[in-house]
Amino acid sequence: MNGSIEACTFVIFGSTGNLSRIKLMPALYHLEASGKLPGNCRILATGRRPWDRERWLQEVRGMLSEEIKAGVDGEVLARFEKHLDYFEGDISDSNMYERLADHIDQQPDVSSNVAFYLSIRPAEFGIVTENLSRTGLLNEESGWRRVVIEKPFGYDLESATALQLRLTRHLDEAQIYRIDHYLGKETVRNVLVFRFANVMLEPLWNRNYIDHVQITHSEQRGVGSRAPYYDGAGALRDMIQSHLLQLLTLVAMEPPVSMESESLRDEKVKVLKSVRPIPPSAVHSQAFRAQYGPGKIGGQKVKGYLDEDGVPSDSVTETYAALKLHIDNWRWRGVPFYLRTGKRMTESVSSIMIRFRQPPTQFFRDTQIKQMDRNWLVLGIQPCECLRIQLTAKQPGLEMDTHQVNLDAGFRSQNDIYSDAYEGLLLDIMQGDRSLFLRYDEVEYAWRIVDPILRVWSVERDFITSYPAGSWGPDESRRLFEREIDKWRHNLEVE
Ligand code: BG6
């Protein structure tokens, strides 16, 4: 449900970090460029560095010129800079919060709504919230107070529950905005429109017609400088527990009563609750993990995971994870959902691929057509944003032969404006629209799905399969498929 955009002060904790640099500042700049950032919005960066506002502006100019490929517009920048401010303070210093409260209060001409953006280590979410509460900064008497939390929300079910308890001592659920940036992506938002604004698909969208679903996120990037976080997390926590399970809910959910946030999230939770729990004895048949070794990406040699900076030489952290899940409800019983993600793969692609069942009879029995091809519905999320339905058609000519053709819904034309996921989500925060943020029960049930796998993997620490960087991951992961003929589909094009 969209309210109106209300100005606020964005207080960013972790403003010099990677997320702020590559996502938040560029997204806020773009909102200014498109005229969507209200004039009395303030962006207050907090950090330990002893900088003044001028020094921070210099830093932001550097961030923007690195990230904004089309070039920074001087006029927009001048307007954008009017919103910016810097506050020196260490989040572990409890005195800092009183000073911060004074600093926020001292600006009478700006809105009294405040969104605190915690782009910090998850271990610090609790303590920062406690301090904000202690100093009255979460008090909503004069304006709303919202706290935006980046993933990961917890490390497993137990720690997520503990974090939730800690936060809700000081915050109402309505004040908590748990971000999953995948929900802000254009094509991901489009899954809902595509499913629920068209009548054609609904009759086919179930176990009677769908054979299986594949959800893939692959990236060429390696772990980069994130080893301290990543080595403790691994691909299952980093991508599947959050982003890929969210994609699964959008594909599998029932039509919500309305697009109002609670109705939408109720339906997503129902899907997560219907996922058949994986007992320890089934972990090997339903989950697969692997780690990249040295290889080549785009013709360039790249290191293996164990040689990356900050990775322990005996690490068995997975950089590739694949899962088979069953959803035990009327719509999906018997339709496997295959999810996979990997770093240092051949290509960077995110997609949802839906494979339909075989036609019931071999219709063209007396022709050369031996086996009818199946239909696929392909949703490209990135980099190619597309929607394709793959059909069988007759090949032109005298023979009765067939080939695969695409019904391609050109999702975006060249002149369409591209906006990053964070832009929409930042606006949603100002509008108080939580539909694309995670409610706690979504996080909880997502942990319930992956927890049994994490537990088995955490004790099996002697060995992990390796795949060469630049490949599609190990062939052995095919064993997750129910039938020999099924395999991962890498390509969005007609096969
Ligand atoms: C993040 C993960 O949440 O998502 C990263 O922590 C991953 O490891 C990233 O690379 C992928 O996001 P995107 O938008 O680049 O597909």
Side-chain angles (χ1 to χ4, degrees), residues 23 150-151 181-182 185 217-219 221-222 226 229-230 238-239 242-243 343 350 382 420-422:
K23 294 289 183 190
E150 273 290 335
K151 68 169 250 288
H181 77 281
Y182 261 63
K185 288 187 191 271
H217 166 87
S218 64
E219 54 190 337
R221 263 181 308 211
R226 297 170 73 220
Y229 151 74
Y230 195 88
D238 184 51
M239 285 299 302
S242 47
H243 309 316
K343 292 209 181 279
S350 298
Q382 61 188 30
D420 183 75
Y422 275 89

Side-chain angles (χ1 to χ4, degrees), residues 131-187:
N131 276 305
L132 292 175
S133 168
R134 185 181 50 80
T135 40
L137 278 163
L138 298 179
N139 186 327
E140 296 200 292
E141 261 160 35
S142 57
W144 51 251
R145 300 293 154 114
R146 297 173 182 156
V147 175
V148 187
I149 295 189
E150 273 290 335
K151 68 169 250 288
F153 195 94
Y155 181 77
D156 53 16
L157 179 60
E158 201 183 330
S159 57
T161 315
L163 174 60
Q164 172 68 359
L165 269 177
R166 207 167 166 193
L167 296 183
T168 49
R169 275 192 213 121
H170 309 286
L171 289 163
D172 290 338
E173 179 65 26
Q175 291 177 281
I176 307 177
Y177 285 66
R178 299 178 194 82
I179 274 213
D180 182 316
H181 77 281
Y182 261 63
L183 295 179
K185 288 187 191 271
E186 193 80 66
T187 343

Side-chain angles (χ1 to χ4, degrees), residues 11 13 46 87 90-105 114 116 118 126-142 145 147 169-171 175:
V11 176
F13 292 105
T46 74
F87 177 82
D90 182 345
I91 52 175
S92 60
D93 167 14
S94 59
N95 298 323
M96 183 277 268
Y97 298 85
E98 272 98 19
R99 289 196 294 114
L100 178 64
D102 291 345
H103 190 85
I104 291 174
D105 285 347
V114 186
F116 296 98
L118 309 193
I127 189 74
V128 170
T129 309
E130 274 156 20
N131 276 305
L132 292 175
S133 168
R134 185 181 50 80
T135 40
L137 278 163
L138 298 179
N139 186 327
E140 296 200 292
E141 261 160 35
S142 57
R145 300 293 154 114
V147 175
R169 275 192 213 121
H170 309 286
L171 289 163
Q175 291 177 281

